[in-house]
Amino acid sequence: MTPPRRQPARRRTATLATVPVAVAALLGAAGPAAPGTTGAPGAGDPYFPLSGNGGYDVRHYDLTLGYDTGSRRLDGTAVLTARATQELTRFDLDLTGLKVTAVTVDRAKAAFRRDGQELVVTPRHALRRNQEFRVTVAYHGAPEPVTDPDGSTDGWIPTDDGAFVAGQPQGAMTWFPANGHPRDKASYDFTVTVPKGRTAVANGVLLGQRTAHGKTTFHWRATQPMAAYLATVTIGKFQVERYTTRDGIQVYNAVDAREARAAAPVLKKLPAVLEWESRLFGPYPFEAAGSIVDHAPDVGYALETQTRPVYDSAPDLDTLVHESAHQWFGDSVSVTAWQDIWLNEGFATYAEWLYTEQHGGRSAQRTFDALYARPASDDLWAYPPGDPGSGARIFGTPVYARGAMALHELRRAVGDRDFFRILRAWATGHRGGHGTTAQFVRLAERTSGQQLDGLFHTWLYTPGKPDRP
């Protein structure tokens, strides 16, 4: 995600020594459960305690959606294929603002009720531990975005010709029932029907589209694991470009005509950017790529929606590099807790620095030096990036810029050879899964043969401006 134009608030601290304990506590809270056989109403994230749910893992989402751009009504049927991680007599799904009309579990009618952002489901028969089951939810309504702790909006954001759909960190629940924390990743099918003349763009590969009776239906499939917040079905009047790169990646670009002229020279560089990032970080982790360039002036950010980032306006080259780097760092390798968001944003920001350095621009060292020259009162030093302190601070300057500075200090400490080995090993070793800061520190130490806890403590967890390295 590019930093939102709205600046978030600040601050709290943690030390490196606390990280393994915090992560262990989170992992312990995560699958499982409130007392007895009731699935927990959250995944245990300290910043977003109701995000996600305990007691089950979703394997696949099959979403059938119809959206009327005039009335802004969404009609949806969501089929979730999941596995119980404990015995369950009741479990939750994240869903807000939409009316649920029916729920079944394995085709049997299930009782349900609403409790804030929770859809609480009671199946007719208890689910055994490790049992695979299927939940079907029928719902409708006019979806609206949620307001995040930093004041920005995410989720289903209506536009003048459709919707800009970007769910970080908690917006997936505005348009489909989900296990909404990034720790639970799944594959997806999207079947989306919109008025003729509109295009619905989702993640993965377009399997087909058909037009009948004044409506067009698009079928998209994303086979690799994906966190719910990275799903999109952005809708609008788009100019579409399709091609396959020489590496076999299927590219689908959808661009609002009002942004087409400004976007064209940047999007033309996408194949070269992906090739460059693949050389640094390992093979591109997905079978599809592309861009959704909407005209959404009130949004204020872009998001790395998996395989196909969504931009609120024509991106510049730095933003394209940033969101593309997220396909490795954030999408393929996901965080286990939002506290570790620097693993997404610091890495994508440092990719910008590296791209500039290796394409005739200023060196990463010069970029680092310019940032370090900022006074101690600057927002850059407002809180440490390794634990921003709350959900209101996860998209602040320290997470992006000081997170990137931590990586540059690692590079200086271990040398280029080991540094790029570390980046590649992180992206390939955790491909399709998750990672924590503690795991990254261990990888860096193992690869370099150096003890690096002091470096990471200084740059990730020490409040204020660090002493000159």
Side-chain angles (χ1 to χ4, degrees):
M1 182 177 184
T2 51
R5 296 185 190 120
R6 186 190 304 273
Q7 289 300 310
R10 0 189 130 91
R11 25 161 293 128
R12 190 170 76 86
T13 64
T15 66
L16 185 62
T18 70
V19 173
V21 175
V23 170
L26 174 67
L27 294 177
T37 57
T38 300
D45 193 285
Y47 291 180
F48 296 93
L50 290 179
S51 177
N53 300 285
Y56 65 95
D57 291 319
V58 180
R59 303 293 184 83
H60 184 73
Y61 292 88
D62 191 341
L63 305 178
T64 301
L65 307 172
Y67 188 62
D68 184 88
T69 53
S71 66
R72 295 184 173 178
R73 176 185 167 108
L74 177 72
D75 290 281
T77 300
V79 181
L80 286 65
T81 302
R83 181 184 64 85
T85 58
Q86 63 171 79
E87 184 180 357
L88 283 176
T89 57
R90 193 179 76 202
F91 59 90
D92 287 20
L93 296 167
D94 297 323
L95 185 68
T96 186
L98 298 167
K99 180 177 177 59
V100 176
T101 56
V103 178
T104 63
V105 176
D106 290 337
R107 298 185 179 179
K109 185 177 180 180
F112 65 90
R113 62 180 174 84
R114 308 300 293 272
D115 184 8
Q117 71 179 55
E118 303 297 314
L119 173 62
V120 183
V121 178
T122 303
R124 181 175 298 178
H125 304 290
L127 301 169
R128 303 181 308 276
R129 184 182 179 190
N130 294 323
Q131 178 181 340
E132 186 171 285
F133 63 98
R134 183 170 293 182
V135 186
T136 302
V137 181
Y139 58 98
H140 65 81
E144 296 180 353
V146 293
T147 300
D148 294 323
D150 67 353
S152 59
T153 58
D154 79 284
W156 191 283
I157 306 172
T159 61
D160 62 0
D161 62 355
F164 181 99
V165 182
Q168 190 181 37
Q170 56 182 340
M173 64 181 176
T174 66
W175 60 283
F176 69 99
N179 196 353
H181 194 274
R183 291 188 56 247
D184 191 2
K185 300 168 73 167
S187 57
Y188 284 74
D189 273 274
F190 308 87
T191 303
V192 189
T193 300
V194 294
K196 181 180 177 180
R198 302 299 202 275
T199 300
V201 191
N203 312 85
V205 174
L206 179 64
L207 298 184
Q209 66 183 76
R210 65 185 185 277
T211 299
H213 309 297
K215 296 181 179 181
T216 303
T217 299
F218 298 82
H219 182 192
W220 295 87
R221 176 170 293 164
T223 58
Q224 285 105 339
M226 179 167 68
Y229 81 88
L230 296 168
T232 188
V233 288
T234 292
I235 296 163
K237 296 179 179 178
F238 294 125
Q239 299 174 0
V240 172
E241 174 190 30
R242 301 179 70 175
Y243 60 89
T244 301
T245 71
R246 58 187 181 185
D247 292 329
I249 303 168
Q250 298 182 52
V251 175
Y252 187 106
N253 292 326
V255 182
D256 189 295
R258 292 166 287 187
E259 303 291 339
R261 171 178 275 185
V266 177
L267 297 188
K268 186 177 181 180
K269 296 180 182 292
L270 178 61
V273 167
L274 294 179
E275 285 184 16
W276 174 79
E277 290 177 334
S278 295
R279 289 195 298 271
L280 259 60
F281 310 140
Y284 181 71
F286 307 115
E287 59 186 343
S291 307
I292 307 168
V293 182
D294 207 344
H295 181 75
D298 295 330
V299 171
Y301 60 83
L303 180 64
E304 60 274 14
T305 44
Q306 191 160 302
T307 69
R308 193 160 293 108
V310 58
Y311 302 94
D312 66 329
S313 61
D316 59 21
L317 183 55
D318 282 346
T319 304
L320 185 81
V321 170
H322 183 105
E323 305 303 343
S324 297
H326 272 311
Q327 302 307 305
W328 285 263
F329 306 111
D331 292 13
S332 177
V333 184
S334 300
V335 296
T336 61
W338 287 110
Q339 170 184 316
D340 281 340
I341 187 67
W342 85 278
L343 290 169
N344 298 4
E345 302 302 349
F347 282 52
T349 301
Y350 198 67
E352 295 180 54
W353 299 10
L354 290 172
Y355 188 89
T356 299
E357 177 180 81
Q358 296 184 19
H359 290 80
R362 69 177 180 177
S363 68
Q365 184 63 55
R366 285 184 59 199
T367 302
F368 178 98
D369 291 342
L371 287 167
Y372 190 80
R374 295 185 182 183
S377 59
D378 191 87
D379 282 352
L380 175 61
W381 316 114
Y383 50 87
D387 186 358
S390 75
R393 299 163 186 158
I394 60 176
F395 301 121
T397 300
V399 170
Y400 290 73
R402 186 169 163 181
M405 295 174 81
L407 289 174
H408 189 72
E409 281 300 282
L410 173 63
R411 181 183 176 187
R412 280 166 41 92
V414 304
D416 277 11
R417 178 176 176 273
D418 280 347
F419 176 74
F420 289 107
R421 286 176 62 202
I422 292 165
L423 290 190
R424 190 180 182 96
W426 180 252
T428 57
H430 293 264
R431 183 179 173 122
H434 300 83
T436 67
T437 298
Q439 290 172 326
F440 182 73
V441 173
R442 288 196 296 269
L443 171 65
E445 292 184 330
R446 184 169 65 248
T447 303
S448 67
Q450 298 187 40
Q451 186 172 347
L452 298 166
D453 55 341
L455 182 153
F456 285 106
H457 174 81
T458 296
W459 286 96
L460 295 181
Y461 299 105
T462 302
K465 182 176 180 178
D467 293 335
R468 184 73 190 185

